[in-house]
Amino acid sequence: MLSLCLACALSPVGAAVLDPVDRQAPAVEAPTLQPVVVEATRLRGVPAFETPASTATIPLGGENNGAGGDVSEVLRGVPGLLARDRRNLAQDTQLSIRGFGARSTFGVRGLRLYADGIPASMPDGQGQLSHFSLAGGDRIEVIRGPFSALHGNSSGGVVQIWSAEGAPGDPWRARAAAGSDDTWSAAAQLLGAGARVDYNLALSRYDTGGWRDHSAARRDTANLRLGVDLGPHRRLQLVVNRVDVPEARDPLGLTAQQMRDDPRQAVANAHLFDTRKTVRQDQAGATYEHGLGEAHTLRLMAYGGRREVMQVLPIPAVAQANPLSAGGVIDLDNRYDGLDARWSWQRGAARPLEITVGGNLDQQRQHRRGFENFVGEALGVRGALRRDERNSVDNADLYAQAWWRFAERWSLLAGVRRSEVRFESRDRYVTDANPDDSGRVRFSHTAPVAGLTFAPREDLRLYLSAGRGFETPTFNEMSYRADGGAGLAFGLRPAVSDNLELGAKWRGRGGATLEAALFRAETDDELAVARNVGGRSSFRNVGSARRQGFEAAWAAPLGAAWDLRLAYTRLDATFREPYLICQGAGCTVPDTEVGAGARIPGVPEQQLFARLQWRGAAWSAAFEGEATGEVMVNDLGTESAAGYGLLHLEAARRWRGRHGELRMFARIDNLLDRAHAGSVIVNEGNGRFYEPGGGRGWLLGAQWDWTR
């Protein structure tokens, strides 16, 4: 059926409207790689090739053949990074880097996220990917390893998306796709540039009936980037974005037996309580850069936003009879804002030097309420108030870094960041049986980082880097105490990690690239799930942990029309000390030991990605393979999600006309229809650890690029 649809879509009927691209591909010279500067390193004049850090840049150009509904589509193939599409917009993408962030049951923790230089992570470390606009994006940058610590709290890695700058001639784009499971998407990107102002407006909608039962969802995003040239060495950038998820159904996790019986099912409680989530976020930010002569630059950034979340959980009414229960409906209203100011200085000459000094202030104001999820016999509706608190978190950071080529073959990058993070909660739901749980706590940390790069040849760099980072508990991790008591878990401590990395980078003249790194992170006061019941997780510090391994990425052109990309990750993530955990839904006193050497759940030991692509003059095609090793789903290691390998196939054809280009594309995911666990819910208290990945699915789409 798919092949028939594709043949019709790419038939000569379309060719009657547009002239086909020449069928004979012209001779292609070996490409010359341009220097890539990763802006998240804060080094304006230093290419990524020269930095002693593992970085990756993923272009978001016009040849993406996915639906555009999930960031995981484009993050495949980055070594050390695991992006899992949960087939569940109520819980967002699972994202981890070198094992950091793997414990998150929803959202992103342990990593720093940015959109056009504006934080997409709250001051407490909780982040979301939902407002990343793939339709308007130019590229995504990823930093792994010690230098992530220069971004402050919860920086086990950094992921940043950049919108495309406006371009002269108003190159506009419209895109639509439809596929399996009543899934469709539509997007438009409007680019333009005048003498002083350029713009990028991107609008998109993603709608799906869901691969699993009770998983239908819709997400609307809008992103506007304006650039204003204010004169020599002065520029203002304005960014406004909005995301609206009006109602995303949550099918919840499955047990191993349920997944074997029917991976597309939703558990009974998902239907009984109509488990679902609503998200609305509006955000705006401005960045102003002012050059002072040829060497000095001042950069000021300010932002603010509001994120509203309502979620219905499947907590039985009998469990809410406890006077300390927070109910079964979560209502969160987050308001946040911040500013960042930095000064940079660059010196060229024989021994180039670049220095950056700055500071930032961020604040988050959260109104958290909990309601019963029933009214009388009606379930899944907002009932009586059971929790009402005003929470706030503020951080004040100072940072400095310098890059210096102090000898012909040697360069040094060093930096330090001082962070102060303050949490406060004011309890407004106080009864005779539920006391006042107000409180506050403050954390501080100094993060030093240094890296040395050696250039034995023009095409080779060897480097060694080390640093110390930290991760405070987020408000969501503080929200429920492991002992079952009311109020926030103010007894949690930040996890502190010492990171070490040894790496190599090679660039061949024909366009081939190779990057490899050995890494180790030793963590004290590791944060881990203490128990997970009814969709609510509580956390505790469990001592020391270690994440160590090897990663490599290779890319090379194979002749004029073929390209090959490979990425491999080997990760050994373990707890280094024994600790006690709760077993069973009613447990509040840990009584079961997890032995030293147990694997950290949610982290596969091995990942492999391969993509072979062919580009002709009019046609293109690609074959992808990805493999993931076994993943433990609980601390005790009594259950695991089996490893799997998937194959994907895509093809596209282009027609060029006088004013634009039409491109039609098709993709088949999971070509062999392999059953697998797409993601896992770590330590889920009911044993429903597994979120099945999608079976074989198809997608057909069209994209029209034109100049007004």
Side-chain angles (χ1 to χ4, degrees), residues 215-528:
S215 62
R218 192 187 86 205
R219 178 161 60 203
D220 297 325
T221 60
N223 190 80
L224 173 64
R225 171 174 169 166
L226 287 175
V228 184
D229 184 356
L230 299 176
H233 306 294
R234 290 181 296 160
R235 182 170 178 82
L236 176 66
Q237 175 183 291
L238 303 174
V239 178
V240 180
N241 51 59
R242 175 180 177 83
V243 62
D244 182 15
V245 183
E247 215 165 55
R249 257 60 188 185
D250 188 349
L252 305 177
L254 300 179
T255 66
Q257 186 60 50
Q258 288 171 333
M259 192 171 74
R260 285 191 292 268
D261 292 341
D262 180 10
R264 302 186 73 152
Q265 68 176 301
V267 297
N269 274 351
H271 294 285
L272 194 62
F273 290 92
D274 190 15
T275 49
R276 61 196 185 275
K277 187 177 184 179
T278 299
V279 178
R280 290 183 178 88
Q281 177 175 304
D282 296 284
Q283 181 174 283
T287 302
Y288 174 68
E289 290 193 359
H290 192 125
L292 304 174
E294 296 297 326
H296 301 266
T297 303
L298 287 177
R299 179 185 181 275
L300 304 175
M301 184 273 291
Y303 72 95
R306 180 175 183 177
R307 185 178 181 92
E308 299 172 297
V309 178
M310 190 282 294
Q311 185 172 15
V312 178
L313 302 175
I315 299 177
V318 64
Q320 298 172 61
N322 185 334
L324 301 182
S325 169
V329 176
I330 298 174
D331 188 331
L332 286 176
D333 183 359
N334 276 299
R335 298 171 185 261
Y336 55 93
D337 54 72
L339 57 90
D340 179 281
R342 72 181 68 154
W343 163 82
S344 298
W345 175 76
Q346 290 180 258
R347 183 190 71 184
R351 297 288 181 262
L353 174 65
E354 181 173 339
I355 298 173
T356 298
V357 177
N360 65 276
L361 300 171
D362 304 277
Q363 65 176 4
Q364 174 185 352
R365 299 293 179 262
Q366 181 187 88
H367 187 192
R368 175 183 286 267
R369 292 184 295 172
F371 298 87
E372 293 175 351
N373 58 3
F374 61 91
V375 176
E377 298 297 320
L379 302 179
V381 296
R382 180 180 298 201
L385 180 70
R386 298 297 301 271
R387 184 173 192 169
D388 187 0
E389 62 196 35
R390 299 276 184 169
N391 301 321
S392 65
V393 59
D394 302 85
N395 74 270
D397 290 22
L398 295 173
Y399 57 86
Q401 67 182 62
W403 180 86
W404 181 32
R405 180 174 290 159
F406 61 88
E408 181 179 356
R409 297 180 180 272
W410 295 87
S411 63
L412 174 69
L413 175 60
V416 64
R417 187 180 187 109
R418 175 66 180 179
S419 300
E420 299 275 349
V421 187
R422 297 172 295 276
F423 292 82
E424 182 177 358
S425 177
R426 290 173 291 160
D427 191 356
R428 294 189 171 186
Y429 183 80
V430 180
T431 68
D432 292 340
N434 191 329
D436 187 345
D437 298 301
S438 301
R440 65 181 64 185
V441 66
R442 184 175 74 172
F443 306 115
S444 61
H445 180 75
T446 299
V449 186
L452 193 64
T453 301
F454 173 57
R457 301 195 318 240
E458 183 181 352
D459 61 353
L460 180 63
R461 299 294 182 270
L462 306 176
Y463 67 88
L464 177 66
S465 59
R468 168 169 288 189
F470 82 115
E471 178 184 356
T472 69
T474 67
F475 260 131
N476 284 317
E477 289 166 340
M478 287 184 171
S479 293
Y480 306 104
R481 286 166 44 179
D483 61 5
L488 299 185
F490 286 116
L492 292 175
R493 302 180 300 278
V496 178
S497 298
D498 291 316
N499 295 273
L500 185 67
E501 180 176 322
L502 175 65
K505 303 178 184 181
W506 174 76
R507 298 288 185 268
R509 291 183 179 179
T513 65
L514 174 64
E515 296 190 9
L518 292 167
F519 58 88
R520 172 179 285 189
E522 300 277 0
T523 303
D524 291 325
D525 286 327
E526 174 76 20
L527 287 161

Side-chain angles (χ1 to χ4, degrees), residues 87 178-184 206-212 215-217 264 694-698:
R87 300 286 170 147
S180 306
D181 309 313
D182 296 324
T183 297
W184 64 273
Y206 176 78
D207 193 293
T208 180
W211 185 76
R212 293 180 60 194
S215 62
R264 302 186 73 152
R696 183 188 297 117
W698 60 270

